[in-house]
Amino acid sequence: MSSSLRRGALAAAALAFSIASLAACSAGSNAQTLQIKPDNAATTVGDIKVQNAIVVTQPDAAAKGPAVVSATLFNSSTTDQTLDSVTVDGAGTAEVTPVKGEGKGGKVVVPAGGSVILGGEGNASAVLPEIGSAVQNGNAQQVTFTFSETGDVSLRAFVVPAEAYFEKWGPSDIPEAPASSPSPSDEASGSPSASGSPGEGTAAEEGAAAGSSGSPSASESEATAGD
């Protein structure tokens, strides 16, 4: 897919997601406003409806993860169902975590006649630790939600970066640049108290506990202090 087509797909996804989210906030799963079919992935299998499904990646396109799956899950049956797994082609199986105190056996529960939101602050989450090269922004990726009663519900969902509107739906764990490692000279050189007189044994012991007195000279000083 060309870069221009990818940008067009991302723009369409952002617009459709914002419209559908506003509709979902003000109505139930069977209201007229939700009968409009947005560009964002939506499908119904049996009693389960999956709506507004997207895969949200890191803002940095070069990052390999984590990424998240965001969607709204509706259950029109008279019995609860659990979300057993979420799988994305090219990224594997997500780590699905319910809202604290609302899960069942560590699984997300979609209540009878109710709904559950995946993604976003304070909601259940489906996190992909890593994504493969096949998962690229602008693609429509195959996503499979597996439920306890309905089974597999599959659809293609847009892949979008956690930017602009999608920022609040993106991964909460954004990788940071690794901290600079201490230079060899810093590790080798201890403070004067670590290798000083016997009267400074307390400082030497503290240096040993912090891992800063690994040299043989420091050990010999401590032995002398003990004598």
Side-chain angles (χ1 to χ4, degrees):
M1 184 182 291
S2 67
S3 58
S4 60
L5 289 177
R6 289 184 192 280
R7 287 194 295 271
L10 292 176
L15 178 61
F17 194 80
S18 59
I19 293 173
S21 295
L22 288 174
C25 289
S26 60
S29 62
N30 294 317
Q32 281 186 323
T33 52
L34 292 184
Q35 303 310 311
I36 300 172
K37 301 299 183 183
D39 285 341
N40 274 13
T43 191
T44 300
V45 176
D47 295 319
I48 293 294
K49 177 190 291 183
V50 177
Q51 197 166 31
N52 299 330
I54 52 173
V55 179
V56 188
T57 61
Q58 298 286 340
D60 181 3
K64 297 301 181 183
V68 298
V69 177
S70 180
T72 305
L73 313 175
F74 297 94
N75 178 10
S76 62
S77 73
T78 57
T79 58
D80 296 348
Q81 292 203 44
T82 58
L83 176 62
D84 294 341
S85 67
V86 178
T87 304
V88 178
D89 281 3
T93 301
E95 297 175 357
V96 181
T97 305
V99 176
K100 186 176 181 180
E102 296 185 8
K104 181 179 180 180
K107 297 180 180 180
V108 172
V109 176
V110 187
S115 63
V116 166
I117 296 176
L118 284 181
E121 185 176 358
N123 299 322
S125 63
V127 180
L128 299 160
E130 293 185 5
I131 57 174
S133 58
V135 182
Q136 297 185 19
N137 294 332
N139 282 0
Q141 210 74 15
Q142 181 84 359
V143 181
T144 300
F145 299 83
T146 303
F147 297 87
S148 56
E149 299 296 330
T150 301
D152 291 348
V153 178
S154 298
L155 71 173
R156 287 191 172 273
F158 278 124
V159 180
V160 297
E163 297 176 337
Y165 178 83
F166 297 104
E167 182 177 0
K168 64 180 181 179
W169 301 99
S172 58
D173 184 11
I174 304 295
E176 298 180 355
S180 58
S181 302
S183 62
S185 58
D186 292 338
E187 294 179 349
S189 61
S191 62
S193 60
S195 58
S197 63
E200 296 176 349
T202 302
E205 290 172 0
E206 292 176 351
S212 61
S213 59
S215 63
S217 59
S219 300
E220 292 169 0
S221 297
E222 292 175 2
T224 304
D227 295 336

mmCIF file of all heavy atoms in Angstrom, residues 136-186:
data_model
loop_
_atom_site.group_PDB
_atom_site.id
_atom_site.type_symbol
_atom_site.label_atom_id
_atom_site.label_comp_id
_atom_site.label_asym_id
_atom_site.label_seq_id
_atom_site.Cartn_x
_atom_site.Cartn_y
_atom_site.Cartn_z
ATOM 1 N N GLN A 136 1.624 -2.859 9.867
ATOM 2 C CA GLN A 136 2.073 -1.519 9.523
ATOM 3 C C GLN A 136 0.903 -0.546 9.558
ATOM 4 O O GLN A 136 -0.239 -0.906 9.242
ATOM 5 C CB GLN A 136 2.709 -1.509 8.128
ATOM 6 C CG GLN A 136 3.955 -2.375 8.020
ATOM 7 C CD GLN A 136 4.630 -2.249 6.657
ATOM 8 O OE1 GLN A 136 4.396 -1.282 5.931
ATOM 9 N NE2 GLN A 136 5.454 -3.220 6.306
ATOM 10 N N ASN A 137 1.196 0.690 9.944
ATOM 11 C CA ASN A 137 0.170 1.716 10.007
ATOM 12 C C ASN A 137 -0.520 1.881 8.655
ATOM 13 O O ASN A 137 0.133 1.947 7.619
ATOM 14 C CB ASN A 137 0.774 3.047 10.440
ATOM 15 C CG ASN A 137 1.301 3.006 11.855
ATOM 16 O OD1 ASN A 137 0.817 2.244 12.675
ATOM 17 N ND2 ASN A 137 2.299 3.823 12.144
ATOM 18 N N GLY A 138 -1.840 1.923 8.672
ATOM 19 C CA GLY A 138 -2.611 2.056 7.451
ATOM 20 C C GLY A 138 -3.130 0.737 6.923
ATOM 21 O O GLY A 138 -4.041 0.715 6.095
ATOM 22 N N ASN A 139 -2.578 -0.370 7.408
ATOM 23 C CA ASN A 139 -3.058 -1.690 6.988
ATOM 24 C C ASN A 139 -4.394 -2.018 7.648
ATOM 25 O O ASN A 139 -4.749 -1.463 8.678
ATOM 26 C CB ASN A 139 -2.050 -2.780 7.372
ATOM 27 C CG ASN A 139 -0.872 -2.840 6.430
ATOM 28 O OD1 ASN A 139 -0.781 -2.077 5.486
ATOM 29 N ND2 ASN A 139 0.057 -3.749 6.708
ATOM 30 N N ALA A 140 -5.105 -2.944 7.043
ATOM 31 C CA ALA A 140 -6.295 -3.527 7.662
ATOM 32 C C ALA A 140 -5.908 -4.939 8.079
ATOM 33 O O ALA A 140 -5.788 -5.838 7.248
ATOM 34 C CB ALA A 140 -7.468 -3.541 6.697
ATOM 35 N N GLN A 141 -5.655 -5.130 9.377
ATOM 36 C CA GLN A 141 -5.098 -6.371 9.900
ATOM 37 C C GLN A 141 -6.203 -7.304 10.402
ATOM 38 O O GLN A 141 -7.189 -6.845 10.995
ATOM 39 C CB GLN A 141 -4.138 -6.062 11.047
ATOM 40 C CG GLN A 141 -3.000 -7.047 11.198
ATOM 41 C CD GLN A 141 -1.944 -6.858 10.108
ATOM 42 O OE1 GLN A 141 -1.912 -5.841 9.425
ATOM 43 N NE2 GLN A 141 -1.077 -7.841 9.963
ATOM 44 N N GLN A 142 -6.022 -8.600 10.164
ATOM 45 C CA GLN A 142 -6.995 -9.584 10.644
ATOM 46 C C GLN A 142 -6.896 -9.710 12.165
ATOM 47 O O GLN A 142 -5.829 -9.964 12.714
ATOM 48 C CB GLN A 142 -6.731 -10.942 9.996
ATOM 49 C CG GLN A 142 -7.715 -12.035 10.404
ATOM 50 C CD GLN A 142 -8.983 -12.014 9.572
ATOM 51 O OE1 GLN A 142 -9.136 -11.179 8.701
ATOM 52 N NE2 GLN A 142 -9.882 -12.941 9.829
ATOM 53 N N VAL A 143 -8.031 -9.512 12.849
ATOM 54 C CA VAL A 143 -8.095 -9.620 14.303
ATOM 55 C C VAL A 143 -9.183 -10.632 14.659
ATOM 56 O O VAL A 143 -10.285 -10.572 14.104
ATOM 57 C CB VAL A 143 -8.414 -8.265 14.970
ATOM 58 C CG1 VAL A 143 -8.446 -8.408 16.492
ATOM 59 C CG2 VAL A 143 -7.397 -7.213 14.557
ATOM 60 N N THR A 144 -8.863 -11.544 15.568
ATOM 61 C CA THR A 144 -9.829 -12.569 15.982
ATOM 62 C C THR A 144 -10.072 -12.475 17.479
ATOM 63 O O THR A 144 -9.145 -12.583 18.286
ATOM 64 C CB THR A 144 -9.334 -13.985 15.633
ATOM 65 O OG1 THR A 144 -9.141 -14.082 14.219
ATOM 66 C CG2 THR A 144 -10.345 -15.040 16.071
ATOM 67 N N PHE A 145 -11.341 -12.246 17.849
ATOM 68 C CA PHE A 145 -11.770 -12.247 19.244
ATOM 69 C C PHE A 145 -12.437 -13.599 19.516
ATOM 70 O O PHE A 145 -13.326 -14.016 18.770
ATOM 71 C CB PHE A 145 -12.784 -11.134 19.499
ATOM 72 C CG PHE A 145 -12.265 -9.748 19.230
ATOM 73 C CD1 PHE A 145 -12.273 -9.236 17.941
ATOM 74 C CD2 PHE A 145 -11.785 -8.950 20.260
ATOM 75 C CE1 PHE A 145 -11.808 -7.947 17.674
ATOM 76 C CE2 PHE A 145 -11.323 -7.667 20.012
ATOM 77 C CZ PHE A 145 -11.325 -7.170 18.707
ATOM 78 N N THR A 146 -12.011 -14.274 20.556
ATOM 79 C CA THR A 146 -12.576 -15.580 20.894
ATOM 80 C C THR A 146 -13.376 -15.476 22.193
ATOM 81 O O THR A 146 -12.838 -15.062 23.225
ATOM 82 C CB THR A 146 -11.471 -16.642 21.045
ATOM 83 O OG1 THR A 146 -10.712 -16.711 19.832
ATOM 84 C CG2 THR A 146 -12.079 -18.008 21.323
ATOM 85 N N PHE A 147 -14.664 -15.864 22.128
ATOM 86 C CA PHE A 147 -15.569 -15.760 23.269
ATOM 87 C C PHE A 147 -15.948 -17.147 23.772
ATOM 88 O O PHE A 147 -15.909 -18.133 23.031
ATOM 89 C CB PHE A 147 -16.824 -14.981 22.880
ATOM 90 C CG PHE A 147 -16.553 -13.555 22.487
ATOM 91 C CD1 PHE A 147 -16.229 -13.231 21.171
ATOM 92 C CD2 PHE A 147 -16.594 -12.545 23.424
ATOM 93 C CE1 PHE A 147 -15.970 -11.919 20.806
ATOM 94 C CE2 PHE A 147 -16.332 -11.227 23.072
ATOM 95 C CZ PHE A 147 -16.012 -10.915 21.759
ATOM 96 N N SER A 148 -16.340 -17.205 25.040
ATOM 97 C CA SER A 148 -16.603 -18.491 25.691
ATOM 98 C C SER A 148 -17.758 -19.249 25.056
ATOM 99 O O SER A 148 -17.732 -20.485 24.988
ATOM 100 C CB SER A 148 -16.894 -18.263 27.186
ATOM 101 O OG SER A 148 -17.973 -17.342 27.354
ATOM 102 N N GLU A 149 -18.788 -18.577 24.581
ATOM 103 C CA GLU A 149 -19.941 -19.237 23.990
ATOM 104 C C GLU A 149 -19.989 -19.087 22.471
ATOM 105 O O GLU A 149 -20.210 -20.055 21.746
ATOM 106 C CB GLU A 149 -21.238 -18.682 24.604
ATOM 107 C CG GLU A 149 -21.363 -18.882 26.105
ATOM 108 C CD GLU A 149 -21.420 -20.350 26.498
ATOM 109 O OE1 GLU A 149 -21.924 -21.170 25.695
ATOM 110 O OE2 GLU A 149 -20.964 -20.698 27.600
ATOM 111 N N THR A 150 -19.759 -17.903 21.985
ATOM 112 C CA THR A 150 -19.863 -17.633 20.537
ATOM 113 C C THR A 150 -18.685 -18.192 19.754
ATOM 114 O O THR A 150 -18.822 -18.562 18.595
ATOM 115 C CB THR A 150 -19.989 -16.114 20.296
ATOM 116 O OG1 THR A 150 -21.141 -15.633 20.981
ATOM 117 C CG2 THR A 150 -20.118 -15.793 18.824
ATOM 118 N N GLY A 151 -17.531 -18.270 20.401
ATOM 119 C CA GLY A 151 -16.331 -18.743 19.702
ATOM 120 C C GLY A 151 -15.622 -17.600 19.008
ATOM 121 O O GLY A 151 -15.582 -16.474 19.506
ATOM 122 N N ASP A 152 -15.049 -17.872 17.823
ATOM 123 C CA ASP A 152 -14.242 -16.880 17.123
ATOM 124 C C ASP A 152 -15.104 -15.855 16.393
ATOM 125 O O ASP A 152 -16.067 -16.202 15.709
ATOM 126 C CB ASP A 152 -13.318 -17.555 16.106
ATOM 127 C CG ASP A 152 -12.224 -18.377 16.761
ATOM 128 O OD1 ASP A 152 -12.039 -18.234 17.990
ATOM 129 O OD2 ASP A 152 -11.550 -19.148 16.054
ATOM 130 N N VAL A 153 -14.724 -14.605 16.556
ATOM 131 C CA VAL A 153 -15.328 -13.501 15.806
ATOM 132 C C VAL A 153 -14.173 -12.751 15.150
ATOM 133 O O VAL A 153 -13.368 -12.122 15.842
ATOM 134 C CB VAL A 153 -16.135 -12.559 16.723
ATOM 135 C CG1 VAL A 153 -16.699 -11.389 15.915
ATOM 136 C CG2 VAL A 153 -17.252 -13.319 17.423
ATOM 137 N N SER A 154 -14.072 -12.831 13.822
ATOM 138 C CA SER A 154 -12.931 -12.256 13.104
ATOM 139 C C SER A 154 -13.356 -11.088 12.222
ATOM 140 O O SER A 154 -14.475 -11.068 11.694
ATOM 141 C CB SER A 154 -12.249 -13.326 12.246
ATOM 142 O OG SER A 154 -11.728 -14.365 13.047
ATOM 143 N N LEU A 155 -12.449 -10.151 12.054
ATOM 144 C CA LEU A 155 -12.676 -9.005 11.187
ATOM 145 C C LEU A 155 -11.336 -8.345 10.891
ATOM 146 O O LEU A 155 -10.321 -8.707 11.487
ATOM 147 C CB LEU A 155 -13.626 -8.005 11.844
ATOM 148 C CG LEU A 155 -13.131 -7.180 13.044
ATOM 149 C CD1 LEU A 155 -14.196 -6.140 13.423
ATOM 150 C CD2 LEU A 155 -12.792 -8.024 14.243
ATOM 151 N N ARG A 156 -11.330 -7.405 9.965
ATOM 152 C CA ARG A 156 -10.106 -6.669 9.651
ATOM 153 C C ARG A 156 -10.197 -5.284 10.269
ATOM 154 O O ARG A 156 -11.174 -4.571 10.070
ATOM 155 C CB ARG A 156 -9.877 -6.584 8.144
ATOM 156 C CG ARG A 156 -9.443 -7.919 7.553
ATOM 157 C CD ARG A 156 -8.951 -7.777 6.125
ATOM 158 N NE ARG A 156 -8.380 -9.028 5.655
ATOM 159 C CZ ARG A 156 -7.125 -9.391 5.830
ATOM 160 N NH1 ARG A 156 -6.293 -8.583 6.455
ATOM 161 N NH2 ARG A 156 -6.674 -10.547 5.383
ATOM 162 N N ALA A 157 -9.160 -4.910 11.010
ATOM 163 C CA ALA A 157 -9.151 -3.641 11.730
ATOM 164 C C ALA A 157 -7.994 -2.772 11.245
ATOM 165 O O ALA A 157 -6.906 -3.272 10.971
ATOM 166 C CB ALA A 157 -9.019 -3.891 13.236
ATOM 167 N N PHE A 158 -8.241 -1.465 11.158
ATOM 168 C CA PHE A 158 -7.182 -0.538 10.770
ATOM 169 C C PHE A 158 -6.065 -0.549 11.809
ATOM 170 O O PHE A 158 -6.304 -0.674 13.019
ATOM 171 C CB PHE A 158 -7.720 0.880 10.653
ATOM 172 C CG PHE A 158 -8.390 1.176 9.344
ATOM 173 C CD1 PHE A 158 -9.694 1.644 9.321
ATOM 174 C CD2 PHE A 158 -7.724 0.997 8.138
ATOM 175 C CE1 PHE A 158 -10.325 1.929 8.122
ATOM 176 C CE2 PHE A 158 -8.345 1.268 6.940
ATOM 177 C CZ PHE A 158 -9.650 1.742 6.920
ATOM 178 N N VAL A 159 -4.826 -0.377 11.330
ATOM 179 C CA VAL A 159 -3.663 -0.207 12.194
ATOM 180 C C VAL A 159 -3.306 1.273 12.173
ATOM 181 O O VAL A 159 -3.054 1.848 11.105
ATOM 182 C CB VAL A 159 -2.470 -1.048 11.710
ATOM 183 C CG1 VAL A 159 -1.267 -0.855 12.643
ATOM 184 C CG2 VAL A 159 -2.851 -2.523 11.629
ATOM 185 N N VAL A 160 -3.303 1.907 13.346
ATOM 186 C CA VAL A 160 -3.057 3.345 13.434
ATOM 187 C C VAL A 160 -2.050 3.632 14.550
ATOM 188 O O VAL A 160 -1.986 2.908 15.541
ATOM 189 C CB VAL A 160 -4.365 4.117 13.718
ATOM 190 C CG1 VAL A 160 -5.359 3.942 12.582
ATOM 191 C CG2 VAL A 160 -5.007 3.658 15.022
ATOM 192 N N PRO A 161 -1.245 4.698 14.406
ATOM 193 C CA PRO A 161 -0.322 5.065 15.485
ATOM 194 C C PRO A 161 -1.046 5.820 16.588
ATOM 195 O O PRO A 161 -2.098 6.440 16.362
ATOM 196 C CB PRO A 161 0.695 5.962 14.767
ATOM 197 C CG PRO A 161 -0.090 6.597 13.656
ATOM 198 C CD PRO A 161 -1.084 5.556 13.209
ATOM 199 N N ALA A 162 -0.487 5.789 17.787
ATOM 200 C CA ALA A 162 -1.080 6.473 18.943
ATOM 201 C C ALA A 162 -0.765 7.960 18.882
ATOM 202 O O ALA A 162 0.005 8.501 19.688
ATOM 203 C CB ALA A 162 -0.558 5.866 20.242
ATOM 204 N N GLU A 163 -1.384 8.629 17.919
ATOM 205 C CA GLU A 163 -1.181 10.058 17.727
ATOM 206 C C GLU A 163 -2.529 10.742 17.569
ATOM 207 O O GLU A 163 -3.521 10.115 17.200
ATOM 208 C CB GLU A 163 -0.333 10.316 16.477
ATOM 209 C CG GLU A 163 1.075 9.749 16.552
ATOM 210 C CD GLU A 163 1.842 9.931 15.258
ATOM 211 O OE1 GLU A 163 1.177 10.087 14.203
ATOM 212 O OE2 GLU A 163 3.080 9.916 15.289
ATOM 213 N N ALA A 164 -2.554 12.058 17.858
ATOM 214 C CA ALA A 164 -3.763 12.870 17.692
ATOM 215 C C ALA A 164 -4.931 12.217 18.429
ATOM 216 O O ALA A 164 -4.819 11.908 19.612
ATOM 217 C CB ALA A 164 -4.058 13.061 16.204
ATOM 218 N N TYR A 165 -6.028 11.946 17.726
ATOM 219 C CA TYR A 165 -7.208 11.395 18.393
ATOM 220 C C TYR A 165 -6.918 10.039 19.036
ATOM 221 O O TYR A 165 -7.455 9.715 20.092
ATOM 222 C CB TYR A 165 -8.357 11.248 17.397
ATOM 223 C CG TYR A 165 -9.591 10.642 18.028
ATOM 224 C CD1 TYR A 165 -10.501 11.431 18.734
ATOM 225 C CD2 TYR A 165 -9.821 9.270 17.969
ATOM 226 C CE1 TYR A 165 -11.608 10.872 19.345
ATOM 227 C CE2 TYR A 165 -10.941 8.713 18.579
ATOM 228 C CZ TYR A 165 -11.827 9.511 19.265
ATOM 229 O OH TYR A 165 -12.907 8.953 19.875
ATOM 230 N N PHE A 166 -6.060 9.236 18.414
ATOM 231 C CA PHE A 166 -5.829 7.869 18.880
ATOM 232 C C PHE A 166 -4.858 7.794 20.053
ATOM 233 O O PHE A 166 -4.610 6.707 20.574
ATOM 234 C CB PHE A 166 -5.310 7.005 17.729
ATOM 235 C CG PHE A 166 -6.298 6.862 16.606
ATOM 236 C CD1 PHE A 166 -6.127 7.565 15.425
ATOM 237 C CD2 PHE A 166 -7.402 6.041 16.724
ATOM 238 C CE1 PHE A 166 -7.041 7.450 14.391
ATOM 239 C CE2 PHE A 166 -8.327 5.920 15.701
ATOM 240 C CZ PHE A 166 -8.145 6.630 14.528
ATOM 241 N N GLU A 167 -4.302 8.930 20.467
ATOM 242 C CA GLU A 167 -3.312 8.909 21.543
ATOM 243 C C GLU A 167 -3.883 8.319 22.831
ATOM 244 O O GLU A 167 -3.232 7.524 23.508
ATOM 245 C CB GLU A 167 -2.808 10.326 21.808
ATOM 246 C CG GLU A 167 -1.726 10.399 22.882
ATOM 247 C CD GLU A 167 -1.189 11.802 23.066
ATOM 248 O OE1 GLU A 167 -1.663 12.716 22.350
ATOM 249 O OE2 GLU A 167 -0.315 11.985 23.920
ATOM 250 N N LYS A 168 -5.134 8.669 23.166
ATOM 251 C CA LYS A 168 -5.708 8.185 24.427
ATOM 252 C C LYS A 168 -6.116 6.716 24.359
ATOM 253 O O LYS A 168 -6.437 6.111 25.377
ATOM 254 C CB LYS A 168 -6.925 9.033 24.810
ATOM 255 C CG LYS A 168 -8.093 8.952 23.847
ATOM 256 C CD LYS A 168 -9.244 9.839 24.321
ATOM 257 C CE LYS A 168 -10.437 9.765 23.388
ATOM 258 N NZ LYS A 168 -11.560 10.614 23.856
ATOM 259 N N TRP A 169 -6.117 6.128 23.157
ATOM 260 C CA TRP A 169 -6.448 4.717 23.014
ATOM 261 C C TRP A 169 -5.190 3.855 22.842
ATOM 262 O O TRP A 169 -5.283 2.637 22.737
ATOM 263 C CB TRP A 169 -7.358 4.501 21.798
ATOM 264 C CG TRP A 169 -8.629 5.258 21.893
ATOM 265 C CD1 TRP A 169 -8.918 6.455 21.296
ATOM 266 C CD2 TRP A 169 -9.787 4.921 22.658
ATOM 267 N NE1 TRP A 169 -10.179 6.863 21.640
ATOM 268 C CE2 TRP A 169 -10.738 5.941 22.474
ATOM 269 C CE3 TRP A 169 -10.114 3.835 23.475
ATOM 270 C CZ2 TRP A 169 -11.998 5.923 23.071
ATOM 271 C CZ3 TRP A 169 -11.363 3.822 24.077
ATOM 272 C CH2 TRP A 169 -12.286 4.841 23.875
ATOM 273 N N GLY A 170 -4.029 4.500 22.806
ATOM 274 C CA GLY A 170 -2.798 3.783 22.512
ATOM 275 C C GLY A 170 -2.192 3.082 23.706
ATOM 276 O O GLY A 170 -2.744 3.099 24.815
ATOM 277 N N PRO A 171 -1.031 2.458 23.511
ATOM 278 C CA PRO A 171 -0.355 1.736 24.599
ATOM 279 C C PRO A 171 0.006 2.677 25.734
ATOM 280 O O PRO A 171 0.457 3.798 25.505
ATOM 281 C CB PRO A 171 0.907 1.172 23.917
ATOM 282 C CG PRO A 171 0.608 1.216 22.454
ATOM 283 C CD PRO A 171 -0.297 2.379 22.238
ATOM 284 N N SER A 172 -0.202 2.227 26.965
ATOM 285 C CA SER A 172 0.185 3.027 28.127
ATOM 286 C C SER A 172 1.677 2.901 28.392
ATOM 287 O O SER A 172 2.268 3.741 29.054
ATOM 288 C CB SER A 172 -0.593 2.582 29.370
ATOM 289 O OG SER A 172 -0.364 1.202 29.635
ATOM 290 N N ASP A 173 2.295 1.849 27.857
ATOM 291 C CA ASP A 173 3.723 1.597 28.058
ATOM 292 C C ASP A 173 4.482 2.052 26.822
ATOM 293 O O ASP A 173 4.588 1.322 25.843
ATOM 294 C CB ASP A 173 3.964 0.104 28.312
ATOM 295 C CG ASP A 173 5.427 -0.198 28.628
ATOM 296 O OD1 ASP A 173 6.193 0.754 28.859
ATOM 297 O OD2 ASP A 173 5.798 -1.384 28.625
ATOM 298 N N ILE A 174 4.973 3.302 26.841
ATOM 299 C CA ILE A 174 5.754 3.836 25.735
ATOM 300 C C ILE A 174 7.231 3.648 26.063
ATOM 301 O O ILE A 174 7.730 4.191 27.052
ATOM 302 C CB ILE A 174 5.458 5.330 25.502
ATOM 303 C CG1 ILE A 174 3.960 5.539 25.276
ATOM 304 C CG2 ILE A 174 6.265 5.860 24.322
ATOM 305 C CD1 ILE A 174 3.407 4.907 24.037
ATOM 306 N N PRO A 175 7.975 2.869 25.263
ATOM 307 C CA PRO A 175 9.389 2.632 25.565
ATOM 308 C C PRO A 175 10.176 3.937 25.621
ATOM 309 O O PRO A 175 9.949 4.840 24.817
ATOM 310 C CB PRO A 175 9.858 1.754 24.399
ATOM 311 C CG PRO A 175 8.614 1.148 23.846
ATOM 312 C CD PRO A 175 7.535 2.165 24.058
ATOM 313 N N GLU A 176 11.083 4.042 26.575
ATOM 314 C CA GLU A 176 11.944 5.203 26.687
ATOM 315 C C GLU A 176 13.354 4.834 26.272
ATOM 316 O O GLU A 176 13.739 3.664 26.265
ATOM 317 C CB GLU A 176 11.963 5.725 28.130
ATOM 318 C CG GLU A 176 10.594 6.197 28.628
ATOM 319 C CD GLU A 176 10.658 6.695 30.050
ATOM 320 O OE1 GLU A 176 11.746 6.585 30.658
ATOM 321 O OE2 GLU A 176 9.640 7.181 30.554
ATOM 322 N N ALA A 177 14.130 5.846 25.920
ATOM 323 C CA ALA A 177 15.526 5.599 25.554
ATOM 324 C C ALA A 177 16.256 5.034 26.760
ATOM 325 O O ALA A 177 16.061 5.505 27.890
ATOM 326 C CB ALA A 177 16.188 6.894 25.099
ATOM 327 N N PRO A 178 17.110 4.010 26.570
ATOM 328 C CA PRO A 178 17.814 3.417 27.710
ATOM 329 C C PRO A 178 18.734 4.414 28.386
ATOM 330 O O PRO A 178 19.338 5.263 27.731
ATOM 331 C CB PRO A 178 18.602 2.259 27.068
ATOM 332 C CG PRO A 178 18.713 2.625 25.623
ATOM 333 C CD PRO A 178 17.466 3.386 25.290
ATOM 334 N N ALA A 179 18.825 4.338 29.705
ATOM 335 C CA ALA A 179 19.699 5.237 30.450
ATOM 336 C C ALA A 179 21.154 4.932 30.122
ATOM 337 O O ALA A 179 21.528 3.794 29.852
ATOM 338 C CB ALA A 179 19.451 5.074 31.950
ATOM 339 N N SER A 180 21.984 5.967 30.123
ATOM 340 C CA SER A 180 23.396 5.775 29.802
ATOM 341 C C SER A 180 24.073 4.963 30.890
ATOM 342 O O SER A 180 23.841 5.175 32.080
ATOM 343 C CB SER A 180 24.086 7.137 29.653
ATOM 344 O OG SER A 180 23.939 7.885 30.846
ATOM 345 N N SER A 181 24.918 4.013 30.480
ATOM 346 C CA SER A 181 25.631 3.150 31.426
ATOM 347 C C SER A 181 26.826 3.885 31.998
ATOM 348 O O SER A 181 27.441 4.721 31.315
ATOM 349 C CB SER A 181 26.097 1.872 30.726
ATOM 350 O OG SER A 181 24.995 1.191 30.184
ATOM 351 N N PRO A 182 27.182 3.618 33.243
ATOM 352 C CA PRO A 182 28.369 4.268 33.822
ATOM 353 C C PRO A 182 29.632 3.834 33.096
ATOM 354 O O PRO A 182 29.735 2.710 32.609
ATOM 355 C CB PRO A 182 28.364 3.781 35.271
ATOM 356 C CG PRO A 182 27.566 2.522 35.253
ATOM 357 C CD PRO A 182 26.529 2.718 34.183
ATOM 358 N N SER A 183 30.573 4.751 32.978
ATOM 359 C CA SER A 183 31.828 4.434 32.295
ATOM 360 C C SER A 183 32.659 3.476 33.133
ATOM 361 O O SER A 183 32.491 3.404 34.348
ATOM 362 C CB SER A 183 32.617 5.727 32.045
ATOM 363 O OG SER A 183 32.955 6.336 33.275
ATOM 364 N N PRO A 184 33.570 2.716 32.505
ATOM 365 C CA PRO A 184 34.413 1.783 33.279
ATOM 366 C C PRO A 184 35.179 2.471 34.390
ATOM 367 O O PRO A 184 35.393 1.913 35.455
ATOM 368 C CB PRO A 184 35.352 1.204 32.212
ATOM 369 C CG PRO A 184 34.590 1.349 30.926
ATOM 370 C CD PRO A 184 33.788 2.599 31.065
ATOM 371 N N SER A 185 35.612 3.738 34.135
ATOM 372 C CA SER A 185 36.382 4.433 35.157
ATOM 373 C C SER A 185 35.531 4.722 36.385
ATOM 374 O O SER A 185 35.998 4.688 37.512
ATOM 375 C CB SER A 185 36.938 5.751 34.598
ATOM 376 O OG SER A 185 35.874 6.578 34.146
ATOM 377 N N ASP A 186 34.196 5.008 36.153
ATOM 378 C CA ASP A 186 33.306 5.259 37.289
ATOM 379 C C ASP A 186 33.131 4.018 38.131
ATOM 380 O O ASP A 186 33.040 4.074 39.350
ATOM 381 C CB ASP A 186 31.936 5.737 36.792
ATOM 382 C CG ASP A 186 32.024 7.124 36.168
ATOM 383 O OD1 ASP A 186 32.982 7.842 36.499
ATOM 384 O OD2 ASP A 186 31.126 7.466 35.359
#
